[in-house]
Amino acid sequence: MIRAVLFVLVAGMASGQARKAAPPPSRTFPIISLRVEGNRTFSAEQILGLAAVKVGQPADQSAFEAARDRLMASGFFETVGYKYAPSDDKTGYAASFQVLEVQQVYPVQFERLSKPPEAMKSVLRKADPLFSDKVPGTRQVLERYAKLLEPLAGEKVVGKVMPDGEGGLRIVFQPARVPPSVAEVRFVKNDVLPGQALQNAIAGAAIGSVWEETRFREILDANIRPLYEARGRLRVSFPKITTEPVQDVNGLRATVEVMEGDTFTLGGVKVLTEAASDTELLKAGNLNVDDLANFTQINAAVERMRAAVRRNGYLQAKSTVDRKLDDAAKKVFLTVRIDAGKRFVFSKLTIKGLDIISEPQIRKAWTLTPGQPFNPDYPEYFLARMREEGVFENLGKTRAEVKTDEAAGTAEVILHFSAEAPQPQKKPDRPSIPF
């Protein structure tokens, strides 16, 4: 903590003439003016309100120290300093605070508390002039807000910085007690898919997991949403989730309300990439306009497009799909973007496990030449063809190893061959000798 404190005292005599003495810092005088310096997010009024100082208030050094300590205790500032000096008219203090705000802030959420989020926010808003939908995740903020929420919640509350499921972080206030687990999941208002099918789809991921609504919704999105999107129900949502205790276990029954939405068909597909022609990729995807917008099939089609780009040497190709829904026409328009990345070419073939007679046969059959765009599917295809054509007798395990050089943009293939161990001959049963 940096403490910047400046005391200015103007007093004395000049040219033999008496001047009006400035109030010494150790004495109490009224505050004539107040300023805040360094603030970016919060207004001067907000900061001074939290500092609990105002113009006209009597103050001395201890009062400014206490105001500084209140600001630091808030958890919103990295550093706080202050300075004060006699005002221009020498009737009191001209004071200012220098602040450096905590820059990293996170959205605030409430889970498993007995009161609705708006009631919780209202308590914090009244108690803290700096409260907003995003606050720092400092220890002071988490502990102070938890204490403020406890009377309304009726139990001990803790605040934690937690992942938000989308790669970011959030602040969650929740009961300090051990959270219950999900013991049962029910679905209501579903019609397209039966409840039993939905329960079976989510059971493995949800049952036994610690109850946390954000995490539970992620499970719904990962396990239930794809079932509906395979049927063209692209607007499916889960507007309400309620929970109730299950007897005899520390568990909850989660009841999920399903809004299934309308059925969408495919309105059109556009492919954006510099690695291949859109005609070629649309042919590989084989999607038909006006068909049901089955996203299981659509995702498979996009993967075929990506694979086609990879076969052209772009081993690191990545794909994304943007959806544009026309709710009036009940159609979805897709834009498939394929980021091809670096192009790799074939560099050389290394063969291991064959003798000097067999190896030339393999090299002659291998058709990929150095400098050609490297097709990552070709090595396994080649080995499968050698086995199917019976090129070698007693051919054992084979495998292809690919070594890429990122800097050079090359791919080397190593083919490993091995022979099967000869099978021992079964000895004929010795005929029994009759007695």
Side-chain angles (χ1 to χ4, degrees):
M1 182 190 303
I2 300 174
R3 297 188 176 183
V5 183
L6 174 64
F7 307 103
V8 179
L9 174 63
V10 179
M13 301 288 292
S15 303
Q17 296 179 345
R19 290 187 184 179
K20 185 177 182 180
S26 58
R27 295 178 60 188
T28 299
F29 287 91
I31 299 174
I32 302 304
S33 65
L34 274 172
R35 291 186 302 112
V36 176
E37 301 168 357
N39 53 313
R40 295 185 177 183
T41 302
F42 306 110
S43 67
E45 291 74 18
Q46 287 177 301
I47 294 173
L48 293 175
L50 186 62
V53 291
K54 59 185 178 180
V55 172
Q57 171 185 332
D60 57 9
Q61 180 181 345
S62 63
F64 290 115
E65 286 279 352
R68 190 272 316 279
D69 291 344
R70 282 191 287 271
L71 291 177
M72 285 302 301
S74 72
F76 279 84
F77 303 98
E78 296 280 357
T79 61
V80 178
Y82 68 89
K83 60 184 178 181
Y84 63 98
S87 61
D88 291 340
D89 61 5
K90 307 300 186 292
T91 60
Y93 291 131
S96 63
F97 289 89
Q98 300 80 44
V99 299
L100 177 61
E101 299 166 350
V102 175
Q103 296 300 308
Q104 189 63 62
V105 294
Y106 310 101
V108 177
Q109 297 179 8
F110 308 89
E111 293 182 354
R112 297 190 293 115
L113 296 174
S114 59
K115 302 299 182 181
E118 280 308 316
M120 300 291 176
K121 289 183 180 180
S122 179
V123 167
L124 299 180
R125 197 174 291 115
K126 289 177 181 178
D128 189 345
L130 302 189
F131 174 77
S132 64
D133 289 335
K134 290 186 177 182
V135 299
T138 58
R139 176 185 56 80
Q140 297 98 317
V141 169
L142 299 181
E143 292 181 356
R144 183 160 52 90
Y145 283 6
K147 288 291 185 184
L148 289 170
L149 294 172
E150 285 176 1
L152 181 63
E155 61 181 317
K156 185 174 177 58
V157 176
V158 294
K160 298 179 181 179
V161 178
M162 303 173 64
D164 64 3
E166 298 179 357
L169 295 172
R170 61 199 174 102
I171 292 175
V172 178
F173 290 98
Q174 56 187 324
R177 55 186 163 82
V178 177
S181 298
V182 179
E184 182 183 339
V185 182
R186 294 176 54 217
F187 293 88
V188 296
K189 297 188 178 180
N190 53 298
D191 181 53
V192 174
L193 289 167
Q196 188 62 54
L198 298 176
Q199 290 171 350
N200 292 342
I202 203 174
I207 303 302
S209 65
V210 173
W211 168 254
E212 180 190 345
E213 184 169 338
T214 301
R215 173 57 184 154
F216 186 77
R217 286 189 175 278
E218 292 173 0
I219 295 174
L220 288 173
D221 286 338
N223 296 273
I224 302 301
R225 186 177 299 281
L227 300 181
Y228 279 97
E229 293 198 343
R231 290 157 175 79
R233 303 287 179 138
L234 308 186
R235 289 292 193 193
V236 63
S237 63
F238 315 102
K240 185 178 180 182
I241 302 175
T242 57
T243 59
E244 57 185 334
V246 176
Q247 291 183 352
D248 302 327
V249 296
N250 181 28
L252 296 175
R253 176 184 298 109
T255 301
V256 181
E257 180 181 312
V258 183
M259 186 177 292
E260 296 176 320
D262 295 316
T263 301
F264 282 76
T265 58
L266 185 59
V269 183
K270 180 166 60 176
V271 182
L272 300 179
T273 185
E274 297 178 356
S277 70
D278 55 354
T279 302
E280 174 190 353
L281 296 182
L282 287 171
K283 183 178 179 180
N286 192 29
L287 290 171
N288 298 315
V289 172
D290 293 331
D291 278 359
L292 177 72
N294 179 337
F295 259 82
T296 298
Q297 296 176 356
I298 289 171
N299 290 334
V302 172
E303 179 56 29
R304 290 194 295 271
M305 296 181 194
R306 190 181 75 89
V309 171
R310 292 185 75 248
R311 288 194 293 271
N312 205 16
Y314 298 98
L315 307 186
Q316 300 169 339
K318 298 178 181 178
S319 61
T320 58
V321 180
D322 297 331
R323 311 179 188 186
K324 183 178 180 181
L325 274 63
D326 184 336
D327 289 291
K330 301 298 183 289
K331 291 183 178 295
V332 59
F333 296 85
L334 306 179
T335 300
V336 180
R337 303 176 191 273
I338 300 181
D339 180 8
K342 192 167 189 173
R343 195 177 200 184
F344 288 76
V345 297
F346 173 64
S347 59
K348 68 175 182 178
L349 173 67
T350 301
I351 298 173
K352 294 185 177 182
L354 296 180
D355 55 35
I356 59 174
I357 298 176
S358 302
E359 183 175 326
Q361 299 180 52
I362 293 298
R363 290 193 178 276
K364 185 176 180 179
W366 181 268
T367 59
L368 199 58
T369 59
Q372 276 188 283
F374 179 65
N375 178 355
D377 296 338
Y378 183 74
E380 291 297 340
Y381 161 79
F382 177 81
L383 290 177
R385 185 162 60 87
M386 293 297 98
R387 184 178 292 278
E388 290 173 0
E389 294 178 359
V391 175
F392 301 106
E393 293 182 0
N394 299 323
L395 183 62
K397 292 182 178 180
T398 61
R399 65 183 177 91
E401 179 184 358
V402 178
K403 291 185 176 180
T404 57
D405 185 326
E406 178 76 23
T410 59
E412 173 190 358
V413 177
I414 305 171
L415 298 181
H416 299 265
F417 291 85
S418 63
E420 287 183 343
Q423 298 296 320
Q425 295 288 333
K426 184 179 180 181
K427 293 183 180 180
D429 294 335
R430 179 177 298 175
S432 58
I433 301 175
F435 289 94

